mmCIF file of all heavy atoms in Angstrom:
data_model
loop_
_atom_site.group_PDB
_atom_site.id
_atom_site.type_symbol
_atom_site.label_atom_id
_atom_site.label_comp_id
_atom_site.label_asym_id
_atom_site.label_seq_id
_atom_site.Cartn_x
_atom_site.Cartn_y
_atom_site.Cartn_z
ATOM 1 N N ILE A 295 184.683 119.802 127.632
ATOM 2 C CA ILE A 295 183.605 118.821 127.783
ATOM 3 C C ILE A 295 183.545 118.312 129.215
ATOM 4 O O ILE A 295 182.465 118.211 129.821
ATOM 5 C CB ILE A 295 183.800 117.657 126.801
ATOM 6 C CG1 ILE A 295 183.608 118.138 125.366
ATOM 7 C CG2 ILE A 295 182.840 116.508 127.114
ATOM 8 C CD1 ILE A 295 183.982 117.108 124.317
ATOM 9 N N LEU A 296 184.698 118.000 129.787
ATOM 10 C CA LEU A 296 184.739 117.478 131.153
ATOM 11 C C LEU A 296 184.201 118.502 132.151
ATOM 12 O O LEU A 296 183.436 118.160 133.060
ATOM 13 C CB LEU A 296 186.171 117.086 131.519
ATOM 14 C CG LEU A 296 186.729 115.836 130.827
ATOM 15 C CD1 LEU A 296 188.220 115.712 131.082
ATOM 16 C CD2 LEU A 296 186.000 114.589 131.313
ATOM 17 N N LEU A 297 184.611 119.750 131.995
ATOM 18 C CA LEU A 297 184.128 120.783 132.912
ATOM 19 C C LEU A 297 182.644 121.052 132.711
ATOM 20 O O LEU A 297 181.952 121.502 133.626
ATOM 21 C CB LEU A 297 184.936 122.067 132.724
ATOM 22 C CG LEU A 297 186.418 121.973 133.116
ATOM 23 C CD1 LEU A 297 187.129 123.286 132.850
ATOM 24 C CD2 LEU A 297 186.571 121.573 134.583
ATOM 25 N N GLY A 298 182.155 120.751 131.511
ATOM 26 C CA GLY A 298 180.730 120.894 131.264
ATOM 27 C C GLY A 298 179.892 119.863 131.991
ATOM 28 O O GLY A 298 178.665 119.996 132.071
ATOM 29 N N GLU A 299 180.535 118.842 132.553
ATOM 30 C CA GLU A 299 179.835 117.799 133.283
ATOM 31 C C GLU A 299 179.693 118.106 134.771
ATOM 32 O O GLU A 299 179.245 117.260 135.552
ATOM 33 C CB GLU A 299 180.574 116.470 133.095
ATOM 34 C CG GLU A 299 180.583 115.997 131.641
ATOM 35 C CD GLU A 299 181.438 114.760 131.419
ATOM 36 O OE1 GLU A 299 182.099 114.330 132.394
ATOM 37 O OE2 GLU A 299 181.449 114.234 130.296
ATOM 38 N N ILE A 300 180.092 119.305 135.176
ATOM 39 C CA ILE A 300 179.943 119.701 136.578
ATOM 40 C C ILE A 300 178.460 119.709 136.942
ATOM 41 O O ILE A 300 177.615 120.190 136.185
ATOM 42 C CB ILE A 300 180.560 121.096 136.819
ATOM 43 C CG1 ILE A 300 182.080 121.021 136.636
ATOM 44 C CG2 ILE A 300 180.224 121.622 138.203
ATOM 45 C CD1 ILE A 300 182.767 122.362 136.763
ATOM 46 N N SER A 301 178.136 119.169 138.087
ATOM 47 C CA SER A 301 176.746 119.064 138.519
ATOM 48 C C SER A 301 176.148 120.441 138.800
ATOM 49 O O SER A 301 176.871 121.423 139.022
ATOM 50 C CB SER A 301 176.650 118.207 139.777
ATOM 51 O OG SER A 301 177.253 118.867 140.880
ATOM 52 N N GLU A 302 174.810 120.510 138.815
ATOM 53 C CA GLU A 302 174.134 121.773 139.100
ATOM 54 C C GLU A 302 174.465 122.261 140.508
ATOM 55 O O GLU A 302 174.608 123.469 140.732
ATOM 56 C CB GLU A 302 172.618 121.600 138.937
ATOM 57 C CG GLU A 302 172.170 121.394 137.505
ATOM 58 C CD GLU A 302 172.556 122.561 136.600
ATOM 59 O OE1 GLU A 302 172.442 123.716 137.060
ATOM 60 O OE2 GLU A 302 172.977 122.315 135.457
ATOM 61 N N LYS A 303 174.595 121.340 141.438
ATOM 62 C CA LYS A 303 174.934 121.712 142.815
ATOM 63 C C LYS A 303 176.293 122.394 142.856
ATOM 64 O O LYS A 303 176.467 123.449 143.511
ATOM 65 C CB LYS A 303 174.939 120.479 143.712
ATOM 66 C CG LYS A 303 175.329 120.763 145.143
ATOM 67 C CD LYS A 303 175.320 119.490 145.980
ATOM 68 C CE LYS A 303 175.739 119.753 147.421
ATOM 69 N NZ LYS A 303 175.749 118.496 148.221
ATOM 70 N N GLN A 304 177.273 121.819 142.153
ATOM 71 C CA GLN A 304 178.606 122.404 142.145
ATOM 72 C C GLN A 304 178.632 123.721 141.371
ATOM 73 O O GLN A 304 179.384 124.633 141.717
ATOM 74 C CB GLN A 304 179.605 121.409 141.551
ATOM 75 C CG GLN A 304 179.878 120.204 142.434
ATOM 76 C CD GLN A 304 180.444 120.595 143.787
ATOM 77 O OE1 GLN A 304 181.348 121.429 143.888
ATOM 78 N NE2 GLN A 304 179.904 119.993 144.841
ATOM 79 N N LYS A 305 177.825 123.824 140.335
ATOM 80 C CA LYS A 305 177.743 125.077 139.596
ATOM 81 C C LYS A 305 177.265 126.209 140.498
ATOM 82 O O LYS A 305 177.749 127.342 140.417
ATOM 83 C CB LYS A 305 176.815 124.927 138.396
ATOM 84 C CG LYS A 305 177.402 124.098 137.253
ATOM 85 C CD LYS A 305 176.416 123.985 136.108
ATOM 86 C CE LYS A 305 176.998 123.166 134.963
ATOM 87 N NZ LYS A 305 176.039 122.984 133.845
ATOM 88 N N ARG A 306 176.304 125.893 141.371
ATOM 89 C CA ARG A 306 175.823 126.913 142.307
ATOM 90 C C ARG A 306 176.916 127.314 143.282
ATOM 91 O O ARG A 306 177.060 128.497 143.632
ATOM 92 C CB ARG A 306 174.585 126.392 143.056
ATOM 93 C CG ARG A 306 173.344 126.265 142.170
ATOM 94 C CD ARG A 306 172.100 126.049 143.002
ATOM 95 N NE ARG A 306 172.125 124.771 143.709
ATOM 96 C CZ ARG A 306 171.668 123.631 143.204
ATOM 97 N NH1 ARG A 306 171.137 123.600 141.986
ATOM 98 N NH2 ARG A 306 171.703 122.516 143.908
ATOM 99 N N LYS A 307 177.711 126.339 143.729
ATOM 100 C CA LYS A 307 178.820 126.638 144.634
ATOM 101 C C LYS A 307 179.873 127.500 143.936
ATOM 102 O O LYS A 307 180.409 128.451 144.518
ATOM 103 C CB LYS A 307 179.456 125.344 145.134
ATOM 104 C CG LYS A 307 178.620 124.573 146.140
ATOM 105 C CD LYS A 307 179.391 123.378 146.665
ATOM 106 C CE LYS A 307 178.604 122.638 147.739
ATOM 107 N NZ LYS A 307 179.373 121.482 148.284
ATOM 108 N N ILE A 308 180.162 127.164 142.689
ATOM 109 C CA ILE A 308 181.141 127.940 141.931
ATOM 110 C C ILE A 308 180.664 129.369 141.734
ATOM 111 O O ILE A 308 181.425 130.327 141.894
ATOM 112 C CB ILE A 308 181.407 127.265 140.569
ATOM 113 C CG1 ILE A 308 182.122 125.922 140.781
ATOM 114 C CG2 ILE A 308 182.241 128.170 139.671
ATOM 115 C CD1 ILE A 308 182.251 125.099 139.513
ATOM 116 N N ASP A 309 179.374 129.514 141.416
ATOM 117 C CA ASP A 309 178.813 130.845 141.212
ATOM 118 C C ASP A 309 178.865 131.667 142.489
ATOM 119 O O ASP A 309 179.212 132.858 142.469
ATOM 120 C CB ASP A 309 177.365 130.725 140.720
ATOM 121 C CG ASP A 309 176.751 132.084 140.413
ATOM 122 O OD1 ASP A 309 177.213 132.743 139.460
ATOM 123 O OD2 ASP A 309 175.818 132.494 141.136
ATOM 124 N N ALA A 310 178.540 131.030 143.617
ATOM 125 C CA ALA A 310 178.571 131.739 144.902
ATOM 126 C C ALA A 310 179.993 132.159 145.252
ATOM 127 O O ALA A 310 180.226 133.280 145.729
ATOM 128 C CB ALA A 310 177.985 130.846 145.996
ATOM 129 N N SER A 311 180.953 131.260 145.007
ATOM 130 C CA SER A 311 182.350 131.585 145.287
ATOM 131 C C SER A 311 182.837 132.703 144.379
ATOM 132 O O SER A 311 183.569 133.599 144.818
ATOM 133 C CB SER A 311 183.224 130.338 145.100
ATOM 134 O OG SER A 311 184.583 130.637 145.306
ATOM 135 N N PHE A 312 182.413 132.667 143.122
ATOM 136 C CA PHE A 312 182.801 133.703 142.170
ATOM 137 C C PHE A 312 182.292 135.067 142.627
ATOM 138 O O PHE A 312 183.026 136.063 142.615
ATOM 139 C CB PHE A 312 182.246 133.355 140.792
ATOM 140 C CG PHE A 312 182.456 134.434 139.762
ATOM 141 C CD1 PHE A 312 183.678 134.583 139.133
ATOM 142 C CD2 PHE A 312 181.425 135.309 139.438
ATOM 143 C CE1 PHE A 312 183.879 135.580 138.189
ATOM 144 C CE2 PHE A 312 181.616 136.305 138.491
ATOM 145 C CZ PHE A 312 182.848 136.440 137.872
ATOM 146 N N ARG A 313 181.027 135.123 143.021
ATOM 147 C CA ARG A 313 180.451 136.394 143.453
ATOM 148 C C ARG A 313 181.122 136.912 144.727
ATOM 149 O O ARG A 313 181.331 138.113 144.893
ATOM 150 C CB ARG A 313 178.947 136.233 143.675
ATOM 151 C CG ARG A 313 178.174 135.943 142.389
ATOM 152 C CD ARG A 313 176.706 135.682 142.664
ATOM 153 N NE ARG A 313 175.992 135.335 141.451
ATOM 154 C CZ ARG A 313 175.509 136.210 140.575
ATOM 155 N NH1 ARG A 313 175.665 137.512 140.802
ATOM 156 N NH2 ARG A 313 174.880 135.808 139.485
ATOM 157 N N LYS A 314 181.461 135.989 145.605
ATOM 158 C CA LYS A 314 182.099 136.365 146.866
ATOM 159 C C LYS A 314 183.504 136.921 146.640
ATOM 160 O O LYS A 314 183.964 137.807 147.371
ATOM 161 C CB LYS A 314 182.164 135.146 147.791
ATOM 162 C CG LYS A 314 182.803 135.422 149.142
ATOM 163 C CD LYS A 314 182.827 134.162 150.001
ATOM 164 C CE LYS A 314 183.494 134.412 151.341
ATOM 165 N NZ LYS A 314 183.521 133.165 152.175
ATOM 166 N N ASN A 315 184.191 136.395 145.615
ATOM 167 C CA ASN A 315 185.587 136.780 145.369
ATOM 168 C C ASN A 315 185.756 137.594 144.086
ATOM 169 O O ASN A 315 186.837 137.602 143.502
ATOM 170 C CB ASN A 315 186.454 135.513 145.282
ATOM 171 C CG ASN A 315 186.499 134.736 146.572
ATOM 172 O OD1 ASN A 315 187.230 135.083 147.486
ATOM 173 N ND2 ASN A 315 185.723 133.665 146.640
ATOM 174 N N ILE A 316 184.690 138.278 143.657
ATOM 175 C CA ILE A 316 184.725 138.971 142.382
ATOM 176 C C ILE A 316 185.857 139.992 142.298
ATOM 177 O O ILE A 316 186.501 140.146 141.242
ATOM 178 C CB ILE A 316 183.361 139.660 142.100
ATOM 179 C CG1 ILE A 316 183.346 140.252 140.689
ATOM 180 C CG2 ILE A 316 183.044 140.695 143.162
ATOM 181 C CD1 ILE A 316 183.427 139.251 139.593
ATOM 182 N N ASP A 317 186.144 140.670 143.403
ATOM 183 C CA ASP A 317 187.211 141.670 143.382
ATOM 184 C C ASP A 317 188.579 141.018 143.186
ATOM 185 O O ASP A 317 189.478 141.615 142.579
ATOM 186 C CB ASP A 317 187.209 142.477 144.680
ATOM 187 C CG ASP A 317 185.999 143.401 144.777
ATOM 188 O OD1 ASP A 317 185.419 143.715 143.717
ATOM 189 O OD2 ASP A 317 185.635 143.787 145.906
ATOM 190 N N ASN A 318 188.745 139.805 143.710
ATOM 191 C CA ASN A 318 190.006 139.086 143.537
ATOM 192 C C ASN A 318 190.125 138.512 142.128
ATOM 193 O O ASN A 318 191.226 138.400 141.577
ATOM 194 C CB ASN A 318 190.119 137.950 144.556
ATOM 195 C CG ASN A 318 190.237 138.444 145.974
ATOM 196 O OD1 ASN A 318 190.792 139.518 146.223
ATOM 197 N ND2 ASN A 318 189.716 137.682 146.917
ATOM 198 N N TYR A 319 188.990 138.149 141.560
ATOM 199 C CA TYR A 319 188.999 137.523 140.237
ATOM 200 C C TYR A 319 189.327 138.538 139.143
ATOM 201 O O TYR A 319 190.125 138.257 138.245
ATOM 202 C CB TYR A 319 187.643 136.876 139.951
ATOM 203 C CG TYR A 319 187.549 136.262 138.576
ATOM 204 C CD1 TYR A 319 188.226 135.071 138.275
ATOM 205 C CD2 TYR A 319 186.799 136.882 137.569
ATOM 206 C CE1 TYR A 319 188.148 134.514 137.007
ATOM 207 C CE2 TYR A 319 186.717 136.328 136.298
ATOM 208 C CZ TYR A 319 187.385 135.144 136.024
ATOM 209 O OH TYR A 319 187.315 134.604 134.767
ATOM 210 N N ILE A 320 188.738 139.718 139.220
ATOM 211 C CA ILE A 320 188.988 140.743 138.207
ATOM 212 C C ILE A 320 190.471 141.122 138.235
ATOM 213 O O ILE A 320 191.004 141.541 139.249
ATOM 214 C CB ILE A 320 188.120 141.993 138.445
ATOM 215 C CG1 ILE A 320 186.640 141.626 138.380
ATOM 216 C CG2 ILE A 320 188.455 143.063 137.409
ATOM 217 C CD1 ILE A 320 186.191 141.046 137.066
ATOM 218 N N GLY A 321 191.104 140.974 137.126
ATOM 219 C CA GLY A 321 192.525 141.292 137.030
ATOM 220 C C GLY A 321 193.440 140.110 137.304
ATOM 221 O O GLY A 321 194.659 140.219 137.108
ATOM 222 N N SER A 322 192.890 138.976 137.776
ATOM 223 C CA SER A 322 193.710 137.789 138.020
ATOM 224 C C SER A 322 194.140 137.160 136.705
ATOM 225 O O SER A 322 193.623 137.485 135.633
ATOM 226 C CB SER A 322 192.926 136.773 138.847
ATOM 227 O OG SER A 322 191.864 136.215 138.081
ATOM 228 N N ASP A 323 195.073 136.240 136.771
ATOM 229 C CA ASP A 323 195.527 135.558 135.559
ATOM 230 C C ASP A 323 194.394 134.742 134.939
ATOM 231 O O ASP A 323 194.277 134.675 133.707
ATOM 232 C CB ASP A 323 196.707 134.642 135.881
ATOM 233 C CG ASP A 323 197.409 134.148 134.633
ATOM 234 O OD1 ASP A 323 198.053 134.958 133.949
ATOM 235 O OD2 ASP A 323 197.297 132.939 134.330
ATOM 236 N N ALA A 324 193.551 134.151 135.776
ATOM 237 C CA ALA A 324 192.407 133.396 135.266
ATOM 238 C C ALA A 324 191.457 134.318 134.508
ATOM 239 O O ALA A 324 190.913 133.951 133.466
ATOM 240 C CB ALA A 324 191.674 132.717 136.422
ATOM 241 N N HIS A 325 191.266 135.523 135.027
ATOM 242 C CA HIS A 325 190.402 136.497 134.357
ATOM 243 C C HIS A 325 191.001 136.922 133.024
ATOM 244 O O HIS A 325 190.286 137.033 132.006
ATOM 245 C CB HIS A 325 190.212 137.708 135.268
ATOM 246 C CG HIS A 325 189.404 138.809 134.665
ATOM 247 N ND1 HIS A 325 189.966 140.025 134.310
ATOM 248 C CD2 HIS A 325 188.098 138.886 134.321
ATOM 249 C CE1 HIS A 325 189.042 140.808 133.796
ATOM 250 N NE2 HIS A 325 187.886 140.140 133.787
ATOM 251 N N LYS A 326 192.310 137.129 132.987
ATOM 252 C CA LYS A 326 192.969 137.527 131.745
ATOM 253 C C LYS A 326 192.811 136.454 130.671
ATOM 254 O O LYS A 326 192.581 136.764 129.495
ATOM 255 C CB LYS A 326 194.454 137.794 132.011
ATOM 256 C CG LYS A 326 194.718 139.005 132.886
ATOM 257 C CD LYS A 326 196.200 139.148 133.184
ATOM 258 C CE LYS A 326 196.454 140.322 134.130
ATOM 259 N NZ LYS A 326 197.893 140.421 134.481
ATOM 260 N N ALA A 327 192.940 135.199 131.062
ATOM 261 C CA ALA A 327 192.793 134.104 130.096
ATOM 262 C C ALA A 327 191.359 134.027 129.577
ATOM 263 O O ALA A 327 191.124 133.789 128.389
ATOM 264 C CB ALA A 327 193.207 132.785 130.740
ATOM 265 N N MET A 328 190.397 134.229 130.478
ATOM 266 C CA MET A 328 188.988 134.221 130.069
ATOM 267 C C MET A 328 188.701 135.363 129.100
ATOM 268 O O MET A 328 188.053 135.168 128.061
ATOM 269 C CB MET A 328 188.085 134.330 131.293
ATOM 270 C CG MET A 328 186.611 134.535 130.948
ATOM 271 S SD MET A 328 185.882 133.149 130.043
ATOM 272 C CE MET A 328 185.510 132.060 131.437
ATOM 273 N N VAL A 329 189.193 136.561 129.413
ATOM 274 C CA VAL A 329 188.983 137.720 128.541
ATOM 275 C C VAL A 329 189.603 137.466 127.169
ATOM 276 O O VAL A 329 189.022 137.827 126.129
ATOM 277 C CB VAL A 329 189.570 138.990 129.180
ATOM 278 C CG1 VAL A 329 189.600 140.144 128.173
ATOM 279 C CG2 VAL A 329 188.767 139.382 130.416
ATOM 280 N N ALA A 330 190.774 136.820 127.142
ATOM 281 C CA ALA A 330 191.438 136.522 125.874
ATOM 282 C C ALA A 330 190.572 135.620 125.004
ATOM 283 O O ALA A 330 190.492 135.801 123.780
ATOM 284 C CB ALA A 330 192.793 135.880 126.130
ATOM 285 N N ASP A 331 189.908 134.640 125.621
ATOM 286 C CA ASP A 331 189.018 133.760 124.859
ATOM 287 C C ASP A 331 187.765 134.493 124.395
ATOM 288 O O ASP A 331 187.273 134.274 123.285
ATOM 289 C CB ASP A 331 188.638 132.538 125.702
ATOM 290 C CG ASP A 331 189.725 131.479 125.705
ATOM 291 O OD1 ASP A 331 190.484 131.411 124.724
ATOM 292 O OD2 ASP A 331 189.805 130.713 126.691
ATOM 293 N N ILE A 332 187.233 135.363 125.224
ATOM 294 C CA ILE A 332 186.042 136.135 124.841
ATOM 295 C C ILE A 332 186.363 137.055 123.672
ATOM 296 O O ILE A 332 185.546 137.226 122.754
ATOM 297 C CB ILE A 332 185.503 136.934 126.044
ATOM 298 C CG1 ILE A 332 184.969 135.965 127.118
ATOM 299 C CG2 ILE A 332 184.410 137.897 125.604
ATOM 300 C CD1 ILE A 332 184.541 136.647 128.401
ATOM 301 N N GLU A 333 187.562 137.644 123.677
ATOM 302 C CA GLU A 333 187.969 138.512 122.570
ATOM 303 C C GLU A 333 188.022 137.745 121.256
ATOM 304 O O GLU A 333 187.743 138.290 120.180
ATOM 305 C CB GLU A 333 189.327 139.140 122.867
ATOM 306 C CG GLU A 333 189.294 140.188 123.969
ATOM 307 C CD GLU A 333 190.674 140.716 124.297
ATOM 308 O OE1 GLU A 333 191.674 140.119 123.804
ATOM 309 O OE2 GLU A 333 190.778 141.706 125.049
ATOM 310 N N LEU A 334 188.387 136.462 121.316
ATOM 311 C CA LEU A 334 188.487 135.647 120.108
ATOM 312 C C LEU A 334 187.161 135.039 119.677
ATOM 313 O O LEU A 334 186.846 134.978 118.478
ATOM 314 C CB LEU A 334 189.501 134.513 120.327
ATOM 315 C CG LEU A 334 190.983 134.859 120.277
ATOM 316 C CD1 LEU A 334 191.814 133.620 120.564
ATOM 317 C CD2 LEU A 334 191.364 135.429 118.920
ATOM 318 N N PHE A 335 186.372 134.576 120.655
ATOM 319 C CA PHE A 335 185.212 133.750 120.335
ATOM 320 C C PHE A 335 183.875 134.340 120.784
ATOM 321 O O PHE A 335 182.836 133.727 120.542
ATOM 322 C CB PHE A 335 185.370 132.355 120.962
ATOM 323 C CG PHE A 335 186.627 131.654 120.542
ATOM 324 C CD1 PHE A 335 187.732 131.606 121.388
ATOM 325 C CD2 PHE A 335 186.729 131.053 119.301
ATOM 326 C CE1 PHE A 335 188.893 130.955 121.013
ATOM 327 C CE2 PHE A 335 187.879 130.390 118.908
ATOM 328 C CZ PHE A 335 188.964 130.352 119.756
ATOM 329 N N GLY A 336 183.894 135.478 121.446
ATOM 330 C CA GLY A 336 182.644 136.066 121.906
ATOM 331 C C GLY A 336 181.953 135.202 122.947
ATOM 332 O O GLY A 336 182.609 134.558 123.782
ATOM 333 N N GLU A 337 180.628 135.159 122.904
ATOM 334 C CA GLU A 337 179.859 134.417 123.900
ATOM 335 C C GLU A 337 180.113 132.917 123.843
ATOM 336 O O GLU A 337 179.870 132.211 124.828
ATOM 337 C CB GLU A 337 178.353 134.693 123.717
ATOM 338 C CG GLU A 337 177.946 136.128 124.042
ATOM 339 C CD GLU A 337 176.457 136.335 123.945
ATOM 340 O OE1 GLU A 337 175.749 135.330 123.638
ATOM 341 O OE2 GLU A 337 175.987 137.459 124.166
#
Side-chain angles (χ1 to χ4, degrees):
I295 292 171
L296 289 170
L297 294 178
E299 296 174 355
I300 293 176
S301 68
E302 291 301 320
K303 178 180 179 181
Q304 290 300 315
K305 287 179 180 178
R306 290 193 294 271
K307 287 185 177 181
I308 293 172
D309 183 66
S311 177
F312 174 80
R313 294 176 183 277
K314 180 180 179 180
N315 296 280
I316 186 65
D317 290 338
N318 293 329
Y319 177 73
I320 300 300
S322 69
D323 193 69
H325 177 249
K326 293 176 183 177
M328 172 63 82
V329 169
D331 280 333
I332 294 174
E333 289 176 350
L334 283 178
F335 304 101
E337 293 184 1

